Amino acid sequence: VYRPPQVFSAIWSIASPLIDPRTSSKVMFVTGDVSEGSSNDRMLSELIAPEWRTLCGCETPVLYPKCTAGFDPTRYWDSVLEREREWLRAQQDASG
């Protein structure tokens, strides 16, 4: 869990005993320094990929209101429209 609010640790300490130990052992909290070369950066690079910031949108600005940090809907809009057109064609072909 990336930079959870402080109250989350209290909630986790109550909830974690109710979760299967194999599952709860996989939950990690990332707090503190995430600058390049920090222990958190090395851990996330190993767990996710060296480009974890880009992949996860972490430490990137919110580009559009109500969007996740780092998400640019304009990059995906053309592919969304194309999938919609394909779906509509398939629906028309199926109906006759």
XYZ file of all heavy atoms in Angstrom:
762
model
N 0.868 -1.151 0.000
C 0.000 0.000 0.000
C 0.917 1.216 0.000
O 1.786 1.355 0.857
C -0.927 -0.001 1.233
C -1.812 1.218 1.237
C -1.744 -1.273 1.302
N 0.737 2.051 -0.997
C 1.631 3.186 -1.187
C 1.159 4.390 -0.396
O 0.073 4.910 -0.615
C 1.701 3.520 -2.682
C 2.713 4.568 -3.018
C 4.052 4.262 -3.075
C 2.319 5.867 -3.264
C 4.999 5.216 -3.383
C 3.253 6.835 -3.573
C 4.592 6.505 -3.624
O 5.526 7.460 -3.931
N 1.982 4.779 0.538
C 1.750 5.966 1.359
C 0.313 6.059 1.902
O -0.415 7.020 1.627
C 2.125 7.215 0.594
C 3.612 7.271 0.327
C 4.025 8.605 -0.184
N 5.485 8.677 -0.161
C 6.151 9.690 -0.642
N 5.534 10.699 -1.182
N 7.469 9.685 -0.591
N -0.087 5.060 2.681
C -1.442 5.096 3.246
C -1.543 6.164 4.336
O -0.533 6.531 4.940
C -1.598 3.706 3.848
C -0.206 3.324 4.234
C 0.668 3.918 3.145
N -2.762 6.636 4.591
C -2.932 7.570 5.705
C -2.582 6.867 7.016
O -2.668 5.646 7.118
C -4.412 7.936 5.668
C -5.014 7.183 4.553
C -3.984 6.352 3.891
N -2.200 7.629 8.027
C -1.784 7.042 9.299
C -2.864 6.166 9.918
O -2.560 5.156 10.530
C -1.370 8.133 10.279
C -0.032 8.733 9.938
C 0.413 9.717 10.983
O -0.393 10.303 11.688
N 1.718 9.914 11.068
N -4.108 6.539 9.753
C -5.193 5.765 10.362
C -5.238 4.344 9.781
O -5.720 3.421 10.426
C -6.548 6.491 10.199
C -7.008 6.478 8.742
C -7.605 5.889 11.083
N -4.690 4.163 8.599
C -4.730 2.855 7.963
C -3.963 1.812 8.759
O -4.343 0.658 8.826
C -4.192 2.943 6.536
C -4.557 1.754 5.713
C -5.805 1.664 5.127
C -3.668 0.711 5.542
C -6.160 0.560 4.369
C -4.003 -0.393 4.787
C -5.251 -0.473 4.205
N -2.846 2.209 9.402
C -2.106 1.226 10.203
C -2.942 0.704 11.357
O -2.873 -0.480 11.671
C -0.843 1.777 10.798
O -0.352 2.838 10.200
N -3.719 1.567 11.970
C -4.588 1.111 13.059
C -5.653 0.154 12.529
O -5.913 -0.896 13.131
C -5.238 2.311 13.743
N -6.228 0.495 11.418
C -7.247 -0.374 10.816
C -6.613 -1.706 10.423
O -7.181 -2.773 10.658
C -7.895 0.321 9.596
C -8.684 1.546 10.062
C -8.778 -0.642 8.821
C -9.142 2.455 8.943
N -5.417 -1.672 9.840
C -4.736 -2.896 9.426
C -4.418 -3.786 10.630
O -4.572 -5.001 10.570
C -3.461 -2.570 8.657
C -2.721 -3.799 8.242
C -1.525 -4.245 8.725
C -3.136 -4.760 7.272
N -1.177 -5.412 8.116
C -2.149 -5.757 7.210
C -4.245 -4.876 6.448
C -2.229 -6.845 6.361
C -4.327 -5.961 5.591
C -3.338 -6.936 5.564
N -3.992 -3.195 11.731
C -3.657 -4.008 12.902
C -4.885 -4.723 13.452
O -4.774 -5.811 14.014
C -2.988 -3.163 13.986
O -3.884 -2.213 14.493
N -6.053 -4.148 13.262
C -7.299 -4.804 13.688
C -7.747 -5.842 12.660
O -8.151 -6.949 13.014
C -8.414 -3.756 13.911
C -8.046 -2.847 15.088
C -9.761 -4.428 14.136
C -8.893 -1.607 15.203
N -7.651 -5.503 11.388
C -8.181 -6.371 10.327
C -7.248 -7.509 9.939
O -7.703 -8.593 9.574
C -8.494 -5.532 9.090
N -5.940 -7.306 10.014
C -5.004 -8.309 9.507
C -5.120 -9.685 10.171
O -4.950 -10.689 9.484
C -3.572 -7.798 9.560
O -3.188 -7.522 10.879
N -5.417 -9.785 11.469
C -5.570 -11.126 12.045
C -6.753 -11.907 11.449
O -6.807 -13.131 11.549
C -5.800 -10.861 13.536
C -5.241 -9.511 13.781
C -5.444 -8.752 12.504
N -7.675 -11.208 10.820
C -8.846 -11.861 10.230
C -8.580 -12.350 8.808
O -9.405 -13.037 8.223
C -10.031 -10.895 10.221
C -10.392 -10.280 11.582
C -11.457 -9.208 11.411
C -10.822 -11.351 12.557
N -7.425 -11.985 8.262
C -7.080 -12.321 6.880
C -6.133 -13.513 6.886
O -5.290 -13.653 7.779
C -6.419 -11.103 6.192
C -7.399 -9.929 6.173
C -5.950 -11.443 4.792
C -6.797 -8.630 5.721
N -6.275 -14.367 5.890
C -5.394 -15.522 5.766
C -3.937 -15.066 5.851
O -3.551 -14.101 5.185
C -5.659 -16.205 4.413
C -4.826 -17.451 4.249
O -3.622 -17.323 3.936
O -5.380 -18.546 4.427
N -3.129 -15.743 6.673
C -1.733 -15.327 6.841
C -0.931 -15.265 5.534
O -0.070 -14.405 5.369
C -1.145 -16.388 7.776
C -2.319 -16.948 8.494
C -3.478 -16.853 7.542
N -1.214 -16.170 4.597
C -0.501 -16.120 3.305
C -0.812 -14.821 2.581
O 0.039 -14.243 1.917
C -0.892 -17.308 2.428
C -0.196 -18.581 2.847
C -0.528 -19.738 1.946
N -0.117 -19.466 0.571
C -0.526 -20.155 -0.469
N -1.363 -21.165 -0.309
N -0.109 -19.869 -1.674
N -2.056 -14.373 2.687
C -2.457 -13.126 2.036
C -1.878 -11.924 2.774
O -1.271 -11.044 2.154
C -3.988 -13.018 1.966
O -4.488 -14.144 1.243
C -4.424 -11.734 1.301
N -2.053 -11.877 4.082
C -1.588 -10.708 4.836
C -0.070 -10.565 4.779
O 0.450 -9.450 4.842
C -2.078 -10.751 6.276
O -1.528 -11.845 6.961
N 0.654 -11.668 4.601
C 2.117 -11.570 4.507
C 2.558 -10.889 3.218
O 3.699 -10.453 3.110
C 2.752 -12.957 4.603
O 2.497 -13.701 3.433
N 1.675 -10.793 2.256
C 2.004 -10.162 0.974
C 1.729 -8.666 0.964
O 2.080 -7.972 0.010
C 1.213 -10.832 -0.152
C 1.582 -12.293 -0.320
C 0.690 -12.955 -1.326
C 0.983 -14.453 -1.366
N 0.094 -15.156 -2.280
N 1.094 -8.168 2.005
C 0.771 -6.742 2.079
C 1.979 -5.995 2.638
O 2.528 -6.361 3.670
C -0.474 -6.500 2.966
C -0.728 -5.012 3.137
C -1.684 -7.207 2.388
N 2.370 -4.976 1.906
C 3.503 -4.155 2.333
C 3.053 -2.700 2.346
O 2.252 -2.300 1.514
C 4.671 -4.330 1.370
C 5.133 -5.756 1.255
S 6.447 -5.930 0.077
C 7.807 -5.403 1.072
N 3.599 -1.945 3.276
C 3.298 -0.526 3.355
C 4.541 0.255 2.960
O 5.626 -0.011 3.457
C 2.873 -0.142 4.770
C 1.598 -0.801 5.181
C 1.608 -1.986 5.896
C 0.383 -0.247 4.821
C 0.432 -2.599 6.253
C -0.809 -0.860 5.179
C -0.775 -2.039 5.900
N 4.360 1.202 2.058
C 5.466 2.049 1.630
C 5.223 3.426 2.234
O 4.256 4.099 1.905
C 5.536 2.143 0.089
C 6.650 3.086 -0.329
C 5.723 0.766 -0.520
N 6.101 3.788 3.148
C 6.036 5.113 3.762
C 7.437 5.701 3.732
O 8.421 4.972 3.639
C 5.537 5.035 5.221
O 6.422 4.194 5.961
C 4.127 4.484 5.299
N 7.520 6.988 3.795
C 8.829 7.625 3.847
C 9.412 7.899 2.475
O 8.699 8.013 1.476
N 10.716 7.956 2.439
C 11.478 8.367 1.260
C 11.338 7.373 0.116
O 11.521 6.172 0.296
C 12.949 8.497 1.653
C 13.820 9.025 0.540
O 13.290 9.630 -0.419
O 15.050 8.851 0.639
N 10.999 7.873 -1.065
C 10.928 7.038 -2.269
C 11.827 7.601 -3.374
O 11.689 7.237 -4.524
C 9.473 6.896 -2.800
C 8.621 6.107 -1.844
C 8.859 8.241 -3.108
N 12.765 8.461 -2.980
C 13.656 9.044 -3.982
C 14.541 7.954 -4.588
O 14.712 6.878 -4.006
C 14.516 10.144 -3.356
O 15.340 9.592 -2.339
N 15.082 8.241 -5.767
C 15.913 7.257 -6.459
C 17.066 6.812 -5.567
O 17.738 7.633 -4.958
C 16.436 7.832 -7.762
C 15.357 7.878 -8.822
C 15.915 8.067 -10.215
O 16.977 7.488 -10.512
O 15.273 8.799 -10.976
N 17.214 5.496 -5.477
C 18.287 4.923 -4.673
C 17.912 4.655 -3.229
O 18.654 3.998 -2.513
N 16.749 5.160 -2.772
C 16.323 4.912 -1.395
C 15.951 3.440 -1.234
O 15.763 2.716 -2.211
C 15.134 5.800 -1.035
O 13.997 5.392 -1.769
N 15.828 2.990 0.000
C 15.455 1.586 0.228
C 14.070 1.288 -0.340
O 13.846 0.212 -0.896
C 15.527 1.234 1.717
O 14.654 2.046 2.465
N 13.147 2.246 -0.237
C 11.820 2.038 -0.825
C 11.895 1.955 -2.347
O 11.222 1.133 -2.965
C 10.854 3.154 -0.420
C 10.302 2.980 0.969
O 10.129 1.864 1.447
N 10.020 4.084 1.638
N 12.718 2.799 -2.958
C 12.884 2.764 -4.410
C 13.451 1.413 -4.841
O 12.971 0.801 -5.799
C 13.794 3.897 -4.867
C 14.076 3.859 -6.361
O 13.103 3.830 -7.152
O 15.259 3.839 -6.736
N 14.442 0.925 -4.141
C 15.039 -0.378 -4.489
C 14.023 -1.502 -4.327
O 13.924 -2.387 -5.174
C 16.290 -0.626 -3.645
C 17.458 0.270 -4.046
C 18.764 -0.143 -3.374
N 18.706 -0.183 -1.910
C 18.926 0.860 -1.117
N 19.217 2.045 -1.646
N 18.866 0.730 0.190
N 13.252 -1.451 -3.234
C 12.246 -2.488 -3.000
C 11.184 -2.477 -4.109
O 10.853 -3.523 -4.668
C 11.563 -2.285 -1.645
C 10.410 -3.258 -1.399
S 9.463 -2.904 0.084
C 8.759 -1.315 -0.290
N 10.663 -1.305 -4.441
C 9.627 -1.221 -5.466
C 10.177 -1.562 -6.849
O 9.473 -2.164 -7.660
C 8.985 0.166 -5.449
C 8.150 0.443 -4.202
C 7.797 1.923 -4.101
C 6.908 -0.406 -4.170
N 11.424 -1.219 -7.103
C 12.055 -1.586 -8.372
C 12.151 -3.099 -8.501
O 11.953 -3.656 -9.580
C 13.453 -0.982 -8.476
O 13.373 0.411 -8.584
N 12.431 -3.766 -7.400
C 12.542 -5.229 -7.410
C 11.166 -5.887 -7.496
O 10.974 -6.845 -8.240
C 13.270 -5.706 -6.158
C 13.556 -7.184 -6.161
C 14.348 -7.612 -4.949
O 15.337 -6.921 -4.597
O 13.970 -8.622 -4.338
N 10.207 -5.370 -6.731
C 8.869 -5.977 -6.704
C 8.072 -5.718 -7.976
O 7.344 -6.587 -8.446
C 8.059 -5.445 -5.521
C 8.480 -5.922 -4.146
C 7.708 -5.165 -3.084
C 8.256 -7.419 -4.014
N 8.199 -4.513 -8.540
C 7.369 -4.127 -9.690
C 8.224 -4.096 -10.949
O 8.078 -4.935 -11.827
C 6.687 -2.765 -9.440
C 5.798 -2.857 -8.187
C 5.880 -2.338 -10.657
C 5.264 -1.545 -7.697
N 9.096 -3.133 -11.021
C 10.013 -2.969 -12.157
C 10.805 -1.690 -11.893
O 10.359 -0.828 -11.131
C 9.250 -2.836 -13.476
N 11.957 -1.564 -12.535
C 12.722 -0.329 -12.316
C 11.926 0.939 -12.642
O 12.137 1.978 -12.029
C 13.917 -0.492 -13.262
C 14.086 -1.972 -13.377
C 12.679 -2.519 -13.346
N 10.985 0.859 -13.569
C 10.182 2.034 -13.922
C 8.857 2.064 -13.150
O 7.825 2.468 -13.665
C 9.955 2.102 -15.436
C 9.187 0.947 -16.026
C 10.060 -0.262 -16.364
O 11.243 -0.323 -16.033
O 9.511 -1.172 -16.973
N 8.893 1.659 -11.881
C 7.684 1.545 -11.070
C 6.909 2.857 -10.975
O 5.686 2.841 -10.957
C 8.009 1.004 -9.670
C 8.843 1.896 -8.814
C 10.203 1.901 -8.715
C 8.382 2.916 -7.925
N 10.620 2.865 -7.830
C 9.513 3.502 -7.323
C 7.124 3.401 -7.590
C 9.426 4.539 -6.403
C 7.034 4.439 -6.662
C 8.176 4.987 -6.080
N 7.584 3.977 -10.951
C 6.867 5.263 -10.864
C 5.963 5.467 -12.078
O 4.818 5.866 -11.954
C 7.856 6.417 -10.762
C 8.520 6.540 -9.430
C 9.529 7.697 -9.441
N 10.232 7.786 -8.192
C 11.271 7.030 -7.867
N 11.728 6.137 -8.697
N 11.864 7.173 -6.695
N 6.503 5.199 -13.246
C 5.722 5.362 -14.474
C 4.592 4.351 -14.532
O 3.457 4.695 -14.863
C 6.636 5.185 -15.711
O 7.687 6.140 -15.621
C 5.863 5.387 -16.992
N 4.897 3.101 -14.209
C 3.877 2.043 -14.282
C 2.723 2.281 -13.318
O 1.574 1.979 -13.637
C 4.514 0.679 -13.995
C 5.487 0.179 -15.036
C 6.227 -1.056 -14.520
C 4.764 -0.128 -16.336
N 3.038 2.788 -12.147
C 2.011 2.962 -11.109
C 1.449 4.381 -11.038
O 0.464 4.612 -10.353
C 2.579 2.591 -9.748
S 3.140 0.896 -9.646
N 2.088 5.317 -11.688
C 1.641 6.701 -11.607
C 2.050 7.378 -10.311
O 1.584 8.478 -10.010
N 2.912 6.733 -9.549
C 3.349 7.298 -8.270
C 4.297 8.458 -8.492
O 5.103 8.450 -9.420
C 4.044 6.232 -7.442
S 2.963 4.882 -6.997
N 4.192 9.414 -7.618
C 5.060 10.588 -7.652
C 4.908 11.379 -8.948
O 5.830 12.057 -9.383
C 6.528 10.186 -7.447
C 6.779 9.450 -6.148
C 6.400 10.250 -4.915
O 6.882 11.383 -4.765
O 5.611 9.736 -4.106
N 3.761 11.248 -9.592
C 3.483 12.032 -10.789
C 2.290 12.929 -10.509
O 1.449 12.607 -9.669
C 3.185 11.127 -12.006
O 2.103 10.271 -11.682
C 4.388 10.287 -12.375
N 2.176 14.035 -11.215
C 1.070 14.953 -10.935
C -0.268 14.425 -11.443
O -0.319 13.578 -12.335
C 1.463 16.218 -11.706
C 2.327 15.727 -12.809
C 3.058 14.535 -12.262
N -1.337 14.937 -10.866
C -2.674 14.660 -11.373
C -2.849 15.564 -12.587
O -2.789 16.787 -12.469
C -3.756 14.936 -10.308
C -5.141 14.796 -10.899
C -3.575 14.004 -9.123
N -3.028 14.955 -13.750
C -3.084 15.720 -14.993
C -4.477 16.234 -15.313
O -4.629 17.255 -15.971
C -2.578 14.850 -16.154
C -1.161 14.306 -15.983
C -0.824 13.319 -17.079
C -0.157 15.446 -15.950
N -5.493 15.492 -14.874
C -6.886 15.866 -15.135
C -7.685 15.651 -13.865
O -7.473 14.665 -13.160
C -7.475 15.013 -16.269
C -6.833 15.292 -17.598
C -5.703 14.601 -18.007
C -7.342 16.282 -18.441
C -5.093 14.873 -19.218
C -6.740 16.555 -19.656
C -5.621 15.851 -20.041
O -5.024 16.133 -21.239
N -8.622 16.557 -13.558
C -9.442 16.376 -12.362
C -10.138 15.020 -12.370
O -10.538 14.518 -13.415
C -10.474 17.510 -12.448
C -9.859 18.517 -13.368
C -8.984 17.739 -14.320
N -10.235 14.422 -11.221
C -10.911 13.141 -11.000
C -10.204 11.959 -11.661
O -10.777 10.894 -11.800
C -12.376 13.190 -11.431
C -13.183 14.218 -10.661
C -14.625 14.173 -11.049
C -15.397 15.240 -10.297
N -16.790 15.254 -10.619
N -8.952 12.138 -12.089
C -8.161 11.049 -12.655
C -7.056 10.681 -11.669
O -6.606 11.507 -10.887
C -7.520 11.449 -13.981
S -8.679 11.505 -15.346
N -6.620 9.452 -11.738
C -5.502 8.996 -10.937
C -4.240 9.739 -11.356
O -4.085 10.077 -12.528
C -5.308 7.482 -11.164
O -6.526 6.821 -10.870
C -4.209 6.921 -10.312
N -3.354 9.948 -10.399
C -2.094 10.642 -10.694
C -1.387 9.971 -11.859
O -1.287 8.753 -11.922
C -1.204 10.630 -9.462
N -0.914 10.777 -12.786
C -0.170 10.269 -13.921
C -1.015 9.772 -15.080
O -0.496 9.511 -16.155
N -2.332 9.634 -14.881
C -3.188 9.109 -15.947
C -3.590 10.226 -16.893
O -4.114 11.248 -16.475
C -4.431 8.441 -15.370
C -5.345 7.894 -16.431
C -4.997 6.768 -17.153
C -6.544 8.519 -16.722
C -5.824 6.264 -18.138
C -7.386 8.026 -17.704
C -7.026 6.893 -18.411
N -3.343 10.012 -18.179
C -3.711 10.973 -19.209
C -4.746 10.316 -20.114
O -4.395 9.512 -20.979
C -2.477 11.377 -20.012
C -2.791 12.394 -21.099
O -3.975 12.741 -21.297
O -1.838 12.841 -21.759
N -6.035 10.626 -19.915
C -7.072 9.952 -20.699
C -6.967 10.219 -22.194
O -7.394 9.399 -22.998
C -8.381 10.498 -20.128
C -8.013 11.768 -19.438
C -6.589 11.613 -18.998
N -6.345 11.323 -22.574
C -6.249 11.617 -24.004
C -5.354 10.600 -24.716
O -5.520 10.364 -25.907
C -5.715 13.039 -24.245
O -4.397 13.153 -23.686
C -6.629 14.073 -23.612
N -4.410 9.984 -24.003
C -3.546 8.971 -24.611
C -4.333 7.713 -24.967
O -3.935 6.964 -25.845
C -2.425 8.575 -23.652
C -1.373 9.643 -23.503
C -0.245 9.202 -22.611
N 0.288 7.910 -23.010
C 0.901 7.073 -22.178
N 1.054 7.388 -20.925
N 1.367 5.927 -22.609
N -5.420 7.452 -24.259
C -6.160 6.203 -24.432
C -7.471 6.378 -25.177
O -8.093 5.404 -25.549
C -6.426 5.575 -23.057
C -5.152 5.333 -22.308
C -4.710 6.211 -21.343
C -4.357 4.234 -22.617
C -3.524 5.992 -20.674
C -3.169 4.012 -21.956
C -2.761 4.893 -20.985
O -1.580 4.684 -20.332
N -7.897 7.594 -25.376
C -9.226 7.838 -25.917
C -9.429 7.224 -27.291
O -10.457 6.615 -27.565
C -9.541 9.333 -25.934
C -10.975 9.592 -26.239
C -11.472 10.272 -27.305
C -12.110 9.158 -25.501
N -12.832 10.297 -27.267
C -13.263 9.608 -26.166
C -12.279 8.426 -24.325
C -14.547 9.360 -25.706
C -13.557 8.178 -23.869
C -14.676 8.642 -24.562
N -8.455 7.339 -28.185
C -8.600 6.763 -29.525
C -8.806 5.254 -29.458
O -9.645 4.696 -30.169
C -7.390 7.081 -30.405
C -7.348 8.545 -30.832
O -8.424 9.198 -30.811
O -6.257 9.020 -31.181
N -8.048 4.572 -28.590
C -8.213 3.116 -28.485
C -9.558 2.763 -27.860
O -10.168 1.754 -28.228
C -7.068 2.489 -27.700
O -7.078 2.919 -26.364
N -10.041 3.584 -26.945
C -11.365 3.344 -26.358
C -12.436 3.463 -27.439
O -13.330 2.613 -27.552
C -11.652 4.333 -25.202
C -13.105 4.276 -24.764
C -10.721 4.066 -24.039
N -12.344 4.486 -28.260
C -13.319 4.676 -29.336
C -13.264 3.528 -30.344
O -14.306 3.051 -30.815
C -13.091 6.018 -30.037
C -13.402 7.260 -29.210
C -13.024 8.512 -29.974
C -14.861 7.292 -28.809
N -12.079 3.075 -30.672
C -11.945 1.962 -31.617
C -12.543 0.682 -31.046
O -13.252 -0.041 -31.750
C -10.474 1.734 -31.985
C -10.265 0.611 -32.976
C -11.054 0.789 -34.278
O -11.235 1.933 -34.734
O -11.495 -0.235 -34.831
N -12.312 0.405 -29.781
C -12.934 -0.783 -29.152
C -14.451 -0.660 -29.150
O -15.168 -1.629 -29.367
C -12.394 -0.977 -27.737
C -10.992 -1.528 -27.703
C -10.590 -2.017 -26.327
N -10.780 -1.053 -25.264
C -9.866 -0.203 -24.833
N -8.665 -0.190 -25.381
N -10.124 0.633 -23.859
N -14.942 0.531 -28.943
C -16.389 0.768 -28.968
C -16.947 0.505 -30.368
O -17.986 -0.138 -30.528
C -16.682 2.206 -28.533
C -18.142 2.580 -28.534
C -18.916 1.985 -27.376
O -18.318 1.386 -26.467
O -20.151 2.117 -27.379
N -16.249 0.987 -31.388
C -16.697 0.739 -32.769
C -16.689 -0.755 -33.084
O -17.627 -1.273 -33.700
C -15.813 1.503 -33.759
C -16.094 3.005 -33.801
C -15.353 3.684 -34.949
N -13.925 3.784 -34.711
C -13.336 4.808 -34.086
N -14.055 5.825 -33.655
N -12.033 4.832 -33.932
N -15.650 -1.462 -32.654
C -15.577 -2.912 -32.877
C -16.727 -3.627 -32.177
O -17.334 -4.544 -32.724
C -14.238 -3.460 -32.385
C -13.073 -3.059 -33.245
C -11.739 -3.438 -32.633
O -11.715 -4.185 -31.622
O -10.711 -2.981 -33.162
N -17.019 -3.217 -30.951
C -18.121 -3.827 -30.200
C -19.450 -3.592 -30.914
O -20.257 -4.507 -31.052
C -18.156 -3.260 -28.784
C -19.223 -3.872 -27.946
C -19.160 -5.039 -27.247
C -20.538 -3.351 -27.720
N -20.343 -5.278 -26.610
C -21.212 -4.257 -26.872
C -21.210 -2.207 -28.143
C -22.509 -4.059 -26.449
C -22.511 -2.015 -27.714
C -23.149 -2.932 -26.883
N -19.658 -2.365 -31.381
C -20.900 -2.050 -32.096
C -21.024 -2.867 -33.383
O -22.104 -3.384 -33.697
C -20.980 -0.560 -32.410
C -21.271 0.347 -31.221
C -21.106 1.812 -31.619
C -22.656 0.095 -30.671
N -19.915 -3.005 -34.121
C -19.943 -3.832 -35.344
C -20.300 -5.269 -35.007
O -21.097 -5.909 -35.688
C -18.591 -3.767 -36.061
C -18.402 -2.540 -36.911
C -17.198 -2.674 -37.838
N -15.930 -2.738 -37.134
C -15.198 -1.682 -36.770
N -15.620 -0.463 -37.091
N -14.065 -1.819 -36.137
N -19.708 -5.805 -33.950
C -19.992 -7.182 -33.539
C -21.454 -7.339 -33.148
O -22.094 -8.361 -33.483
C -19.081 -7.599 -32.377
N -22.010 -6.346 -32.488
C -23.420 -6.396 -32.096
C -24.318 -6.369 -33.337
O -25.301 -7.097 -33.422
C -23.780 -5.227 -31.171
C -23.090 -5.261 -29.837
C -23.395 -6.516 -29.061
O -24.552 -6.882 -28.872
N -22.364 -7.208 -28.627
N -23.958 -5.527 -34.289
C -24.743 -5.443 -35.534
C -24.637 -6.747 -36.328
O -25.623 -7.237 -36.851
C -24.267 -4.263 -36.378
C -24.621 -2.932 -35.765
C -23.929 -1.771 -36.464
O -22.988 -1.961 -37.238
N -24.378 -0.561 -36.162
N -23.444 -7.334 -36.402
C -23.262 -8.597 -37.124
C -24.054 -9.725 -36.448
O -24.634 -10.565 -37.120
C -21.782 -8.982 -37.175
C -20.978 -8.047 -38.074
O -21.592 -7.273 -38.852
O -19.733 -8.077 -37.966
N -24.087 -9.721 -35.122
C -24.790 -10.776 -34.385
C -26.303 -10.652 -34.538
O -27.025 -11.654 -34.504
C -24.414 -10.717 -32.906
N -26.785 -9.432 -34.727
C -28.243 -9.255 -34.828
C -28.732 -9.403 -36.259
O -29.922 -9.356 -36.515
C -28.655 -7.897 -34.256
O -28.131 -6.858 -35.026
N -27.846 -9.558 -37.164
C -28.356 -9.896 -38.466
C -27.906 -9.120 -39.596
O -28.225 -9.066 -40.657
